[in-house]
Amino acid sequence: MRNKTAIIVLTALVGALCLFFLSFSFVASRVEKDAEAYATDAQGNVDRAKRQAYLDSVRQEPVFVGFTYQEIKEKELGLGLDLKGGMHVVLEVSPVEIIRSMSGNSKDPNFVKALARAQELQKNSQEKFTTLFAEAYREVEPNGRLSRIFSNSANRGRISYESSNAEVIDVIDQEVNDAVDRSFNILRTRIDKFGVTNPNIQRLSGNGGDGRIQIELPGVDDPERVRRLLQGMANLEFWEVWTPDEFTPYFLQLNEYLAQQEKAGKLNLGTADQKDPLTQGATPNATVKTDGADDVLAQAAATDSTGLAQAGQTAASTDSAANGLDSLANAQSSALARLFVPLPGGFGTNVRDTAKVNEILGRAEVRAIFPPNMKFLWSVKPVQGGNRQEFAELYAIKKGRDGKAPLSGDAINDARQDFDQNGRPEISMAMNPNGSKKWARLTGDNINRQIAIVLDNYVYSAPVVQGEITGGNSSISGNFTVEEAKDLANILKAGKMPAPTRIIEEAIVGPSLGQEAINQGLLSTIAGLVIVVIFMIAYYSRGGFIADLALVFNVFFILGILAQFGAALTLPGIAGIVLTLGMAVDANVLIFERMREESLKGFSMREVINKGYEKAFSTILDANVTTFIVGFILYYFGSGPVKGFAITLMIGIVTSFFTSVYISRLFVENAFRKSGKLSFGTALSGKMFRNIKFDVMKYRKPAYAFSLAILVFGFVAMYINGGPNLGVDFAGGRSYVIDFDQAVPASDLRSALVDDFQSAGTEVKTFGGTNRLKVITSYLADDESIQADEKVRTALEQGLAQYSNLNPNVVSSSKVGATMADDIQNTSLVAMALALIGIFLYVMIRFRKWQFSLGGVVALLHDALMIIAVFSILDLVGVSYEIDQVFVAAVLTIIGFSINDTVVIFDRVREYMSDNPKSAIKDVVNPALISTFSRTIITSLTLFLVVVVLFIFGGEVLRGFSLAMIIGVVFGTYSSLFIATPIVVDTVKEDKAPVASAKVVQQAR
């Protein structure tokens, strides 16, 4: 074996990395168990708030080889929402409102028509909305100029009356992208402050996903609050700020109050040297490292005669803040000193203590200490301190007489990142006429004082005013990076450029359903592994044991690499692992069957091992590449569960190739070296597949007729059923999974709900048990608003009212909007088409005949249609499963499996044609099929057993997937034998005269 040392080193290195990254999961689990123990009282009750407080206290503390708990959580192999419960949401930023706002809410009839037309086009298009709007405007007014609508004061400097339509669309495009960025940042901040552990938020792009944001919130138990949080409009305000000298006397009174509370035993702020994990590391008088320079708000208008603030003035304000708190910060016994530390311009507290400070400041007796026009807001970004500590700055905000901000975000015309005269990043800001007047008054009243820029009640910046700013043009400068300046400029647009978000897809999984999914996933994985292990040993003896050992390495590598990528393990991901177990066997079967063939030719065991691995290599490579193509397409076009499945599948393909081809060979050669002999067969394998003889070409036409009959019957059944049974993913609507204490007939519940859902399309079916039902309805499917969600949920609860004695409990729910459903349908069709095209091209390149590509792709199309046809037939007889994204994942996986099977046969046909150049292709087909028949059946049988296990133990969520896989394995094997290869023979035109195929047949044996 060549490069043996390199393979051993690589295996050890990959194994060590996998072990290292998987260890993060064990460490995180240990810390969480400590938190559980800390928060559990004598009666065994867990205080969730206390548990979370413990975790917050160690978030920035090193817990494993220098890594903090927060870093550990980011690197652990997490669980998806379907396994631990939570809420999945996809929001869409509406470009319509942005375009309206940029036009100054134009009432131009052609503009209004074009906007409405673009919304219609969007329903059946993957193009960006701005592109559709440009197309619609050309359609409505062919010679119209968009600059006539958009050249207004808000767009001055970017759009002029002379701007072409293309230039206007480019500016709108940029504004929409900025709006999505702004919404993303605002939502990320809201979620961070919401208090969810390990949230996930990401922008979706491409394939209709532009302008969409995906959010996953584990453990959420108040979905309604989350919906309002995510869809609420951003609230930008400018507030006056109290100086430290002004608010310090009030905090001295607060200090006295806290001391009295502690003395009375009503409050425990802890001390620095206490061993309580919530106070360890909270050192009084902690030093906070900052830039030492405040933001400076300077007038940028041509008439401005006020220079930038002198550095000494900024430093003086900082010193004043620190000196004003000396009496508190320097007193170890001071109650306040244990909560706050001095910061430039004021003071703050350790991030983990903000909840405690909020609770104290919210007390009625504490509010009475402070003036009624003083309120407190936190900085949005923490200040980094020593020892990895983070501190949130507290701002004392001065309220007006009516409690409203002196200036709101709608006063801003434009804001953008710019550079000052010294080349440093700054933000240029322009006000509208009304805002300019208020801004001049506000800045004039606050010279040498801070003005807080507040979004959603968090302070993003608090620059110091130098002088009154007239004209409405200002600049904010400071120690910004370019990115920070862009972010702040984008935030300042939140008032002028509203970007409302709407939920277009939603899924909620209750914690009980998540635990059930974990149990089902573990059971199906273990059962699948046990079946494969037993079968391989029973069939291949010691060789099977080695294959099983390689399989264990394979699973270990999959989990380790998933952890390295920071991926979350989902139920479809577990299905991917189970599927990989079945497919990983294929490579070992190919190798072992090759060895058995070579051993029959009289070669020595050393030669048998070498030839077995060498001759199987190209076949294994081709089979894995074609399946990987399918996995990549699934990943690129899929979303949610499909993407998780695809990631696991692709990783599994790579690791199974490495473990089967290289690691198993290390074990095989080592075993042979020690014993001098090696067995790859048992009594079972010795009796199977002996003297197999059949003529595929003889039965090809009956096979064609049989397939055609099934397909016709299936699509007739679909017509009788009223079309395919599309799930919410494809049809749009809402679905709910409901548990009852006792069994409830699905038909009875549907009858109870029809009137409440106003006779809209409603389907009710059992979901894993007679006491669990799934309700799917198209009621208000086109309305994606919160009000519609509430209305549908109310209607559902009214229908369930008559079953109140059975304690109905909604354990999960999902929603897919109409536009999202259209996009999912379109991307699924595109994914299917691209998978077929990719495989066609690869097979043509590798086999150098388009007939091989045609035969392979026709067989794949046959398999996909067969699955759909059989689903329709089952639906006709009352066995109903939905066609959804997971179903598409199953179909694409079968495409990968089937082409894998077909490529193995094609590879043997190519080999025999090379060894017998005078033979016609029809003379080598049967010998090639016979020589690979044992491999075909063994691999298919193994995978079949695995997916049957998945069907039985994988739970209702994966039942449709596993049923599609069962059907696909059966027809995939059938098509490889009776469809793909015969089509190659029927389409290849050869002038060769028929020759005896005895030599070829003998070689096959």
Side-chain angles (χ1 to χ4, degrees), residues 537-566:
I537 294 175
Y539 195 87
Y540 288 112
S541 183
R542 195 173 181 185
F545 176 78
I546 290 172
D548 291 337
L549 200 57
L551 208 61
V552 173
F553 271 85
N554 188 23
V555 175
F556 173 65
F557 285 163
I558 290 173
L559 295 176
I561 293 170
L562 281 171
Q564 291 178 53
F565 286 165

Side-chain angles (χ1 to χ4, degrees), residues 371-390:
N373 65 335
M374 182 185 292
K375 71 173 183 177
F376 296 97
L377 297 178
W378 294 105
S379 59
V380 70
K381 288 185 179 179
V383 178
Q384 297 298 323
N387 299 322
R388 298 190 179 184
Q389 298 294 310
E390 291 184 335

Side-chain angles (χ1 to χ4, degrees), residues 239-240 372-375 397-406:
W239 291 91
E240 296 177 277
N373 65 335
M374 182 185 292
K375 71 173 183 177
I397 301 299
K398 186 180 293 185
K399 296 193 291 185
R401 292 179 181 177
D402 55 0
K404 295 182 180 178

Side-chain angles (χ1 to χ4, degrees), residues 881-897:
Y881 288 95
E882 295 175 5
I883 294 178
D884 53 15
Q885 284 192 88
V886 177
F887 173 86
V888 172
V891 172
L892 285 171
T893 305
I894 284 300
I895 286 176
F897 160 77

Side-chain angles (χ1 to χ4, degrees), residues 300 414-419 426-430 474-476 489 492:
D414 191 25
R416 68 187 71 179
Q417 182 266 319
D418 208 340
F419 294 94
E426 66 174 12
I427 298 97
S428 297
M429 182 172 63
S474 313
S475 65
I476 304 174
L492 288 168

Side-chain angles (χ1 to χ4, degrees), residues 522-548:
L522 285 174
L523 184 60
S524 59
T525 302
I526 293 170
L529 185 60
V530 167
I531 284 178
V532 170
V533 166
I534 292 173
F535 178 82
M536 290 300 288
I537 294 175
Y539 195 87
Y540 288 112
S541 183
R542 195 173 181 185
F545 176 78
I546 290 172
D548 291 337

Side-chain angles (χ1 to χ4, degrees), residues 246-327:
E246 292 171 338
F247 62 67
T248 297
Y250 302 108
F251 274 85
L252 290 172
Q253 295 179 50
L254 175 62
N255 186 57
E256 293 175 6
Y257 165 80
L258 296 177
Q260 291 171 3
Q261 292 290 300
E262 278 198 306
K263 190 174 181 180
K266 298 180 180 179
L267 181 68
N268 180 19
L269 295 177
T271 61
D273 53 5
Q274 280 182 310
K275 298 305 181 185
D276 190 304
L278 300 187
T279 59
Q280 286 181 359
T283 307
N285 308 320
T287 302
V288 181
K289 299 177 182 178
T290 65
D291 300 347
D294 283 350
D295 296 340
V296 179
L297 188 60
Q299 187 168 352
T303 57
D304 180 23
S305 60
T306 306
L308 290 172
Q310 297 298 317
Q313 289 178 297
T314 303
S317 66
T318 304
D319 293 340
S320 173
N323 293 336
L325 296 172
D326 276 346
S327 59

Side-chain angles (χ1 to χ4, degrees), residues 537-541 596 679-690:
I537 294 175
Y539 195 87
Y540 288 112
S541 183
R596 293 175 68 187
S679 173
F680 291 98
T682 62
L684 174 66
S685 59
K687 295 177 181 178
M688 293 180 66
F689 307 115
R690 292 179 62 85

